[in-house]
């Protein structure tokens, strides 16, 4: 990951646990290193070291070859000053000797080509100037991104790298299309007071500069050892029977993982044994389609159209069926292989069926969400059922209340009628003493004439009582006709019986009260003193019916 990201570095910027004082022999403090397995071999007296060195800059993110014309012999990890753009730059030696020839051949660099030269070993003043320039890189990167955003340029600046003497700054950026940054360079040059160089890189180079940990748990290949990036296609995943899942096949850079090409050659060699043009087989029951090739067991999995069941066949059986199909014959049976896994207990065996060895996406999360939705739906249905039952109960209660309210006015009418009877009796009792006083004042013939209206009043009272009884009987008949069906009669029987009992108890209570009131009025009338005779009273006049008009009190 580089010395800059080491957690044990000292004030000088060097890791305290590094035995080579800043240059790990294992290459852990630098990126994309090559192990120099010829470093410890001594040179002969006649032999001279190879004059070209491989030097890394910015913790190994950029490497280049330089010619060593000095008489110094440099070792891996030593700091040197090399030629730069109108100045000098500092770097670390990563490879020396005969291995440099192989690296140059790999990258296509000729020995006779013009190469920049190594000037001198780095001194303290050079390192101090180098550290000061590195401190400016973070602020410069933030300012450069802000300027690019102000100019509305569709580009992403990934890294800013200063030359050791601060006379040049290089910006590495990524963009999907061509970017016109002529105006941008002018603004950068005026703000940073240095020569500006713009380099476009790809998404994989960007992830190599940033670094990180891959899904395998190790450091990214592009930031640790991989330097040449080859194209990766989805066909590599298909040859390896991997599920075409974009989230699992893509790396940190957003492209397909480079490791898909690592084992592709092995899979291609293994697939060469399988028969060609075996995508479908003609059977008597229908056409079987190829689903998977298992190179570890040398099996081919087929399934019929409209069925999810898969049948494993051996390579020899598939070749036989293809030969029969070429002759126009259709076999009746596939003769699938039974796959079983031996258990520790020899009596127990497990039928494997289709084995998922490629790490396809599991549907456990989807099944959990489906279960939750089903449970929520059941709860909602229960709540709706409870609400419907509650609504039915409320409707039944409302009907009962309406029936009670309809029965209440009937009870009130009966009470009013019962209350009118004592009032009529009171009026009769009030009229009797008045009539008695008139009879005492008048002669005997007048008393005989007064007896007739008394008998008529009694007859009227009897008629009223008979009418009231007839009305009560008619109301009871109407109630019986309004009674609900036999299903509802059982529910309302108790209520009607209770209402009748209440009416009877009220009538029984009113009868003794009426008798007591009549007795009290008679006692009061008896105890009253007789009034004086008024001889000046005019004679009573009789109506057409023969009834005498009683005198009204003034």
């Amino acid at each position: 990951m580089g010395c800059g990201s080491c957690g044990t570095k000292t004030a000088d910027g060097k890791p305290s646990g590094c035995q080579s004082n800043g240059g790990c022999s294992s290459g852990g403090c630098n990126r994309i290193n090559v192990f120099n397995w010829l470093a410890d071999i001594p040179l002969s007296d006649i032999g001279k070291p190879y004059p070209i060195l491989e030097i890394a800059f910015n913790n190994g993110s950029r490497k280049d070859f330089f010619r060593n014309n000095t008489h110094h012999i440099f070792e891996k990890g030593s700091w040197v000053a090399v030629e730069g753009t109108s100045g000098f730059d500092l770097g670390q030696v990563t490879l020396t000797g005969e291995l440099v020839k192989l690296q140059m051949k790999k990258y296509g660099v000729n020995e006779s080509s013009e190469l920049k030269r190594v000037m001198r070993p780095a001194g303290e003043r050079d390192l101090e100037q180098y550290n000061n320039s590195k401190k400016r890189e973070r602020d410069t990167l933030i300012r450069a991104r802000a300027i690019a955003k102000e100019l509305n340029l569709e580009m992403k600046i990934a890294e800013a790298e200063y030359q050791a003497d601060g006379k040049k700054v290089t910006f590495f950026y990524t963009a999907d299309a061509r970017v016109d940054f002529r105006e941008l360079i002018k603004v950068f040059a005026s703000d940073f007071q240095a020569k500006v160089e713009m380099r476009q890189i790809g998404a994989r180079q960007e992830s190599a500069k940033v670094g990180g940990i891959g899904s395998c748990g190790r450091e990214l290949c592009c930031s640790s050892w991989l330097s040449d990036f080859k194209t990766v296609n989805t066909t590599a995943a298909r040859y390896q029977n991997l599920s075409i899942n974009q989230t699992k096949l893509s790396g940190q850079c957003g492209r397909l993982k480079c490791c898909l090409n690592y084992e592709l050659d092995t899979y291609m060699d293994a697939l060469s044994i399988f028969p060609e043009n075996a995508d479908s087989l003609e059977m008597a029951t229908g056409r079987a389609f190829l689903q998977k090739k298992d190179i570890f067991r040398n099996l081919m999995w087929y399934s019929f159209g409209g069925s999810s069941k898969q049948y494993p066949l051996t390579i020899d059986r598939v070749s036989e069926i293809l030969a029969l199909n070429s002759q126009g014959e259709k076999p009746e049976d596939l003769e699938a292989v039974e796959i079983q896994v031996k258990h520790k207990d020899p009596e127990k065996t497990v039928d494997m069926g289709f084995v998922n060895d490629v790490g396809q996406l599991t549907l456990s999360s989807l099944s959990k969400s489906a279960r939750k939705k089903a449970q929520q739906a059941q709860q909602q249905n229960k709540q709706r059922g409870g609400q419907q039952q509650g609504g039915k109960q409320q409707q039944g209660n409302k009907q009962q209340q309406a029936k009670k309210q309809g029965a209440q006015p009937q009870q009130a009418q009966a009470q009013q009628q019962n209350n009118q009877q004592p009032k009529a009796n009171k009026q009769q009792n009030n009229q009797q003493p008045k009539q008695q006083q008139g009879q005492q004042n008048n002669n005997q013939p007048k008393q005989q004439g007064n007896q007739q209206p008394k008998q008529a009043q009694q007859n009227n009272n009897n008629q009223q009582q008979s009418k009231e009884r007839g009305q009560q009987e008619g109301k009871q008949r109407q109630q019986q006709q309004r009674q609900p069906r036999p299903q509802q009669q059982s529910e309302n029987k108790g209520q009607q019986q209770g209402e009748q009992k209440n009416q009877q108890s009220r009538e029984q209570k009113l009868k003794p009260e009426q008798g007591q009131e009549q007795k009290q009025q008679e006692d009061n009338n008896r105890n009253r003193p007789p009034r004086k005779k008024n001889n000046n009273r005019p004679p009573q006049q009789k109506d057409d019916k023969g009834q005498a008009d009683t005198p009204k009190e003034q």
Side-chain angles (χ1 to χ4, degrees):
M1 295 298 290
C3 298
S5 60
C6 185
T8 61
K9 63 183 180 180
T10 59
D12 298 334
K14 297 179 181 179
S16 59
C18 188
Q19 296 180 358
S20 60
N21 195 13
C24 293
S25 58
S26 62
C29 290
N30 209 334
R31 285 186 262 182
I32 316 177
N33 284 331
V34 176
F35 180 70
N36 191 358
W37 52 277
L38 296 175
D40 294 334
I41 297 176
L43 296 173
S44 62
D45 296 335
I46 302 173
K48 293 182 180 180
Y50 192 68
I52 298 174
L53 303 176
E54 185 188 54
I55 299 174
F57 301 92
N58 196 14
N59 294 327
S61 63
R62 180 173 61 88
K63 291 185 177 181
D64 205 348
F65 298 100
F66 293 86
R67 192 178 298 278
N68 183 14
N69 292 330
T70 64
H71 299 286
H72 297 281
I73 298 175
F74 298 102
E75 295 180 356
K76 182 180 178 181
S78 59
W79 288 87
V80 294
V82 297
E83 286 183 346
T85 304
S86 65
F88 70 95
D89 199 359
L90 292 184
Q92 274 186 302
V93 178
T94 56
L95 197 63
T96 59
E98 297 295 328
L99 291 180
V100 179
K101 290 183 179 180
L102 299 177
Q103 290 293 102
M104 292 176 69
K105 184 178 181 180
K106 180 180 179 181
Y107 291 109
V109 180
N110 296 323
E111 295 182 6
S112 59
S113 61
E114 294 183 0
L115 300 174
K116 294 182 179 180
R117 61 187 182 85
V118 178
M119 298 174 62
R120 62 183 182 275
E124 294 181 358
R125 187 176 178 181
D126 297 333
L127 292 172
E128 184 179 358
Q129 194 173 359
Y130 170 78
N131 293 328
N132 292 332
S133 299
K134 290 298 177 183
K135 290 178 182 179
R136 298 170 55 191
E137 289 181 353
R138 181 176 178 80
D139 297 334
T140 302
L141 179 62
I142 296 171
R143 176 60 181 160
R145 288 177 176 175
I147 294 170
K149 189 174 182 181
E150 290 176 358
L151 296 176
N152 296 324
L153 296 176
E154 295 181 358
M155 59 184 298
K156 179 183 177 183
I157 300 176
E159 187 180 14
E161 181 183 350
Y162 268 98
Q163 198 171 266
D165 56 0
K167 294 181 180 180
K168 178 187 174 183
V169 58
T170 305
F171 293 98
F172 299 91
Y173 71 95
T174 59
D176 296 333
R178 184 177 179 276
V179 180
D180 187 6
F181 46 77
R182 289 176 292 182
E183 185 67 24
L184 181 66
I185 292 175
K186 293 178 183 179
V187 178
F188 282 174
S190 61
D191 284 357
F192 305 131
Q193 298 296 323
K195 186 178 179 180
V196 177
E197 182 181 355
M198 304 293 293
R199 288 190 182 181
Q200 186 175 3
I201 58 176
R204 289 187 172 90
Q205 286 84 357
E206 181 186 4
S207 62
K209 288 181 176 295
V210 175
I213 304 298
S215 59
C216 58
R218 301 185 63 180
E219 189 178 355
L220 295 178
C221 299
C222 55
S223 64
S224 59
W225 62 271
L226 186 62
S227 57
D228 53 339
F229 301 99
K230 296 181 180 179
T231 57
V232 185
N233 298 324
T234 55
T235 54
R238 291 192 179 93
Y239 281 127
Q240 300 175 45
N241 293 323
L242 298 176
S243 60
I244 308 303
N245 189 352
Q246 190 67 23
T247 57
K248 288 191 174 184
L249 295 180
S250 59
Q252 187 174 352
C253 57
R255 305 293 190 272
L256 292 175
K257 291 181 180 179
C258 299
C259 55
L260 292 174
N261 288 334
Y262 295 167
E263 298 180 355
L264 181 60
D265 295 337
T266 304
Y267 276 87
M268 295 298 292
D269 293 340
L271 291 172
S272 62
I273 305 172
F274 288 81
E276 297 180 356
N277 300 324
D279 294 336
S280 62
L281 300 176
E282 295 293 337
M283 305 297 296
T285 55
R287 181 176 292 181
F289 298 93
L290 178 64
Q291 300 295 331
K292 177 190 173 183
K293 293 180 181 179
D294 190 352
I295 64 172
F296 300 103
R297 295 190 178 96
N298 291 332
L299 296 176
M300 300 176 70
W301 297 76
Y302 285 87
S303 66
F304 290 96
S307 176
S308 61
K309 188 175 180 181
Q310 298 182 1
Y311 303 92
L313 303 179
T314 60
I315 296 174
D316 297 336
R317 178 57 182 168
V318 174
S319 300
E320 292 176 2
I321 295 173
L322 290 174
L324 293 173
N325 290 335
S326 62
Q327 296 175 3
E329 298 180 2
K330 296 181 180 180
E332 295 181 356
D333 190 9
L334 287 172
E335 297 182 5
V337 179
E338 294 182 0
I339 300 176
Q340 293 181 351
V341 177
K342 292 183 179 180
H343 198 268
K344 292 181 180 179
D345 189 355
E347 296 180 358
K348 295 181 180 180
T349 56
V350 180
D351 187 4
M352 292 297 293
F354 178 72
V355 183
N356 183 7
D357 291 331
V358 297
Q360 292 181 351
L361 180 64
T362 59
L363 301 178
S364 60
S365 59
L366 299 177
S367 62
K368 289 180 181 178
S369 62
R371 290 174 187 172
K372 288 182 180 178
K373 289 180 181 178
Q375 291 176 358
Q376 291 177 358
Q378 290 178 359
Q379 291 178 358
Q380 290 177 358
N381 293 329
K382 288 180 181 179
Q383 291 177 358
R384 290 176 183 173
Q387 290 177 359
Q388 291 178 359
Q389 291 178 359
K392 291 180 181 179
Q393 292 178 358
Q394 289 179 359
Q395 290 178 0
N397 294 330
K398 287 181 180 179
Q399 292 176 0
Q400 292 178 1
Q401 289 178 0
K403 291 178 183 178
K404 288 181 181 179
Q405 290 177 358
Q408 284 178 359
Q410 295 176 2
Q411 294 177 0
Q413 290 178 1
Q415 289 178 0
Q416 288 178 2
Q417 292 175 2
N418 294 327
N419 292 329
Q420 288 175 0
Q421 290 179 359
K423 288 180 181 179
N425 294 327
K426 287 180 182 179
Q427 291 177 0
Q428 292 175 5
N429 294 327
N430 291 329
Q431 291 176 0
Q432 286 178 2
K434 293 178 181 179
Q435 292 174 2
Q436 290 176 2
Q437 290 177 0
Q439 289 173 2
Q440 291 178 2
N441 293 329
N442 297 326
N443 295 326
Q444 291 179 354
K446 294 179 181 179
Q447 291 177 356
Q448 291 177 359
N450 292 330
Q451 288 178 358
Q452 293 178 358
K454 288 182 181 179
Q455 291 177 359
Q457 287 179 358
Q458 289 179 357
N459 293 326
N460 292 328
N461 291 330
N462 293 327
Q463 290 177 0
Q464 289 179 357
Q465 288 179 358
S466 63
K467 287 180 181 180
E468 290 175 356
R469 289 175 183 174
Q471 289 177 357
Q472 288 179 359
E473 290 177 357
K475 289 177 181 179
Q476 288 179 359
R477 290 175 184 174
Q478 290 178 359
Q479 288 179 358
Q480 290 177 359
Q481 291 177 359
R482 292 176 183 176
Q483 283 180 356
R485 295 178 181 178
Q487 294 179 357
Q488 296 180 354
Q489 285 181 0
S490 59
E491 297 178 356
N492 299 329
K493 276 183 182 180
Q495 295 181 358
Q496 292 178 358
Q497 291 177 0
E499 291 175 358
Q500 292 177 1
K501 289 180 181 179
N502 291 331
Q503 289 179 0
Q504 292 176 1
S505 61
R506 288 173 183 171
E507 291 176 358
Q508 291 176 1
K509 288 180 182 179
L510 292 172
K511 286 181 181 180
E513 290 178 356
Q514 293 176 1
Q516 289 177 2
E517 289 178 355
Q518 290 177 1
K519 288 180 181 179
Q520 288 178 0
Q521 288 178 0
E522 290 176 358
D523 293 337
N524 292 329
N525 293 329
R526 290 175 184 175
N527 294 327
R528 285 181 183 176
R531 292 183 179 181
K532 292 181 181 181
K533 293 181 180 180
N534 190 1
N535 296 322
N536 296 324
R537 177 181 290 178
Q540 294 179 353
Q541 295 180 0
K542 294 183 179 179
D543 297 334
D544 296 336
K545 295 179 181 181
Q547 295 180 356
D549 293 334
T550 56
K552 297 181 180 179
E553 295 181 358
Q554 293 179 355

